Amino acid sequence: MRQGSLPSEPNGKEPIISAIVAAYGPFDPAEGARMLDRLTHRGPDGEGSQRVRDAWLGHRRLAILDPEGGGQPLNAPEQGLWLVGDGEVYNHTRLRAELDQRGHRFQTRSDHETVLHLLAQDGPSALTRLWGMFAFIAAGEDGTFIAARDMIGIAPLYWVRDGATVLFASELKAFDPARRNDVESFPPGHTWSPETGLEQILTLPEVRSPVLRELVGEDESEEEPPEAVFAAIRDTLVTAVERCMTADVPIGTLLSGGLDSSIVTAIAARAAKRQGWRLPTFSVGLEGSEDLAAARHLASVLETAHYERVYTEDELIDWVPEVIGVIESFDPQLVHSSVPNLLVAKLASRHVKAVIIGEGADELFAGYSHYGEIKGDEELHEALVRTIEGMHAGGLQRVDRVAGANGLEPRIPFLDVDLVELGLALPARWKLAHEDRAEKWLLRRAFEGWLPDELLWRRKAQFGEGTGARDVLREHYGTLVDEEEFERERGAVDPPLRTREEAAYYRIFQQHLTGMDPEGVVGRFAEP
């Protein structure tokens, strides 16, 4: 099967998933080495570290494109600056062209080296120009130190503030057990330096474009969107998916059979066909599950190279302890979706190196069932913004950890900055579901004709529900903690554990992450 690249910026980068560890202040490099060892799964192909004055930087690397190059920490010798990073900067080629004109000399094609030189030239303000998903730590021989994370928190980053020492790492499990009670999530859209402390420099995009303002309209009484809105949603998502398909490695889609992954797959399949290759798609589920049947049907219609794994109930149950260790969460909804997600990622990793996924559509277009209880426009918009701001501790955490455990690069077109800007600009009243309007109605209407109607208008099922995982896991793990034990243990976290099933998952979580205080670092869905 031949893979192609759509016309866009060339990659010139290492894959998204890698591991960073860093410290500012008094620090034993042996602790840094231990932390990096716990993150080998994120970067099994190389390791590097560097002491830079009052800082220590460490990195583990997954090498897909160039096994011999692209190692970190990266260095700009003339500026005396070093950097470690995780993630991807989508607009690095244009930024590099500007830097070339100003005399910067590059040693690699890495998008992260572009960030290094941009920081050396403009300082922390340069980070507002980055478009992508990233976590970076930079340290200079002059004492400069800065940590930064993208505005949504697609790339993971955690930290511990311990007096004069501040530590950073990509996953919770990296920290020594004695440190884990103090771990916090580094807030998305923020930077930290010893001089300025924690500062927010990036926020969710506002309506910047006059064209977008005109498209959305100023008349708040307009109940129905004009046809141009559906065209804008469609065109923006198509562009985002095609941008995700720019790859020097084999790429496919994770096809759950639900609306979001089906639309993404339909767009990618058309683009692949134009290029002369056949899109690989990957699905999992119990025999007879709704998602498996829907994915199989769509793969046939789109003529993709379809791969699937049918698992048993016993396999679902047996994988849970490993899954909880991978995703670093005990939230039932996240566990329900993560078990099939881990299994489909293992399947995909045998055939491709990058996968396009449908994460983010529910948050932009009001897909979750509890949104149906909201009647007011402003209330729904505020709820959607809160959900997007919390994704880094929920669905995005699952995406990152599962991909990192399987050597895959995840690509998320629904969180493309242009689509997020458009989605947040659309009046929330257009997203409200009611008896005559299905959830994510805007998205469904925008892609009429792209999917068979029975799939386009299929009712929403959470991934763990559609694959058959939810009911199996609830029934089994809910019996492992009796009522007396549950009442005794439920107050171990705040807010308290909600079900006996969640209590069983929390026990496993504690085994994997001894000493971890989950408050502030483990997100929990509204419904267990």
Side-chain angles (χ1 to χ4, degrees):
M1 175 168 48
R2 183 176 69 84
Q3 294 286 339
S5 293
L6 292 163
S8 184
E9 293 191 354
N11 274 356
K13 62 179 183 61
E14 282 294 298
I16 292 174
I17 295 293
S18 57
I20 57 178
V21 171
Y24 179 83
F27 181 69
D28 183 356
E31 182 175 355
R34 291 195 301 272
M35 295 173 72
L36 283 175
D37 283 346
R38 298 187 189 107
L39 298 178
T40 300
H41 56 282
R42 293 183 71 92
D45 299 319
E47 177 182 337
S49 63
Q50 180 69 37
R51 168 71 79 174
V52 186
R53 194 165 163 175
D54 296 325
W56 185 92
L57 305 178
H59 186 264
R60 290 212 65 105
R61 170 171 163 265
L62 173 67
I64 291 177
L65 302 183
D66 180 7
E68 302 301 324
Q72 295 191 25
L74 293 165
N75 177 223
E78 296 179 358
Q79 292 83 10
L81 192 66
W82 295 79
L83 179 140
V84 290
D86 180 23
E88 177 182 10
V89 176
Y90 303 140
N91 61 336
H92 73 99
T93 301
R94 289 190 290 272
L95 294 171
R96 179 176 289 227
E98 295 177 18
L99 292 164
D100 277 333
Q101 292 177 354
R102 297 185 181 184
H104 288 261
R105 291 184 292 179
F106 291 87
Q107 302 175 62
T108 73
R109 294 174 61 235
S110 169
D111 58 325
H112 291 187
E113 190 180 2
T114 302
V115 178
L116 174 66
H117 284 268
L118 202 63
L119 281 170
Q121 175 180 282
D122 299 329
S125 64
L127 296 169
T128 62
R129 302 184 61 197
L130 301 184
W131 173 28
M133 47 182 287
F134 56 81
F136 293 118
I137 311 286
E141 293 166 5
D142 62 355
T144 298
F145 186 94
I146 183 167
R149 190 180 185 191
D150 70 74
M151 67 178 178
I152 296 178
I154 304 176
L157 190 63
Y158 299 92
W159 64 333
V160 166
R161 289 173 282 186
D162 182 13
T165 301
V166 184
L167 279 71
F168 301 84
S170 297
E171 294 187 11
L172 297 172
K173 62 179 67 71
F175 296 93
D176 281 357
R179 300 270 195 192
R180 289 176 181 168
N181 199 49
D182 300 315
V183 178
E184 301 172 275
S185 177
F186 190 85
H190 284 68
T191 63
W192 181 87
S193 71
E195 294 79 21
T196 62
L198 192 64
E199 291 187 314
Q200 183 169 13
I201 63 166
L202 300 168
T203 59
L204 292 178
E206 299 176 353
V207 184
R208 303 164 297 177
S209 164
V211 175
L212 185 55
R213 288 197 192 98
E214 183 178 349
L215 173 69
V216 172
E218 301 294 337
D219 184 2
E220 296 187 0
S221 66
E222 189 172 4
E223 291 299 325
E224 296 296 324
E227 287 301 317
V229 166
F230 300 114
I233 294 171
R234 182 170 56 253
D235 294 345
T236 306
L237 182 57
V238 167
T239 298
V241 171
E242 292 184 349
R243 187 179 289 125
C244 288
M245 294 180 71
T246 304
D248 299 328
V249 295
I251 189 167
T253 66
L254 301 187
L255 177 57
S256 72
L259 177 69
D260 311 332
S261 68
S262 295
I263 289 175
V264 164
T265 296
I267 297 169
R270 287 192 182 194
K273 188 173 183 179
R274 289 199 307 270
Q275 292 183 329
W277 55 280
R278 195 178 179 197
L279 180 75
T281 53
F282 306 93
S283 302
V284 296
L286 287 170
E287 186 64 61
S289 63
E290 293 181 18
D291 279 359
L292 204 59
R296 194 178 297 158
H297 176 37
L298 184 61
S300 176
V301 170
L302 298 176
E303 298 181 331
T304 67
H306 191 58
Y307 304 86
E308 64 179 37
R309 174 175 175 179
V310 179
Y311 48 67
T312 66
E313 294 185 1
D314 286 344
E315 283 183 288
L316 280 176
I317 292 167
D318 290 345
W319 275 104
V320 164
E322 179 170 335
V323 162
I324 289 175
V326 167
I327 66 172
E328 302 184 324
S329 176
F330 53 88
D331 178 80
Q333 280 204 35
L334 208 61
V335 174
H336 298 161
S337 61
S338 296
V339 178
N341 195 194
L342 184 72
L343 296 177
V344 77
K346 288 182 179 296
L347 172 64
S349 67
R350 297 201 291 267
H351 302 275
V352 299
K353 294 298 184 182
V355 287
I356 303 174
I357 60 178
E359 201 75 27
D362 288 322
E363 290 76 9
L364 283 179
F365 295 99
Y368 292 122
S369 59
H370 62 270
Y371 291 142
E373 302 170 5
I374 299 175
K375 305 303 180 186
D377 189 15
E378 185 175 345
E379 183 184 356
L380 178 59
H381 179 76
E382 292 175 354
L384 292 173
V385 169
R386 286 195 303 272
T387 305
I388 292 171
E389 291 175 340
M391 287 183 71
H392 68 97
L396 290 178
Q397 183 168 319
R398 168 179 51 77
V399 168
D400 172 80
R401 302 300 194 278
V402 169
N406 288 281
L408 283 174
E409 177 180 331
R411 299 186 172 187
I412 314 174
F414 278 107
L415 295 183
D416 182 284
V417 68
D418 289 338
L419 191 62
V420 173
E421 180 184 3
L422 173 61
L424 290 178
L426 297 175
R429 65 185 175 277
W430 293 347
K431 304 174 188 178
L432 286 168
H434 51 68
E435 59 182 18
D436 297 322
R437 180 175 291 177
E439 85 287 337
K440 290 186 285 192
W441 171 79
L442 286 173
L443 191 58
R444 297 175 195 268
R445 272 284 308 274
F447 283 90
E448 285 184 329
W450 287 67
L451 302 176
D453 280 351
E454 63 270 23
L455 297 182
L456 182 67
W457 296 99
R458 178 188 173 212
R459 75 168 185 89
K460 176 178 174 56
Q462 300 292 345
F463 187 37
E465 177 186 356
T467 58
R470 184 192 65 178
D471 293 342
V472 172
L473 297 181
R474 277 184 175 173
E475 182 178 350
H476 176 81
Y477 281 92
T479 64
L480 298 187
V481 178
D482 64 34
E483 195 62 38
E484 184 178 337
E485 292 172 320
F486 174 60
E487 290 300 325
R488 187 169 61 247
E489 298 174 18
R490 66 191 308 264
V493 299
D494 185 26
L497 299 168
R498 296 162 291 180
T499 65
R500 290 189 294 168
E501 178 196 12
E502 189 173 35
Y505 297 154
Y506 180 66
R507 288 178 177 179
I508 299 171
F509 174 87
Q510 285 292 306
Q511 293 170 7
H512 283 284
L513 288 160
T514 305
M516 177 64 64
D517 179 359
E519 186 173 358
V521 294
V522 176
R524 294 161 74 187
F525 284 88
E527 300 173 3

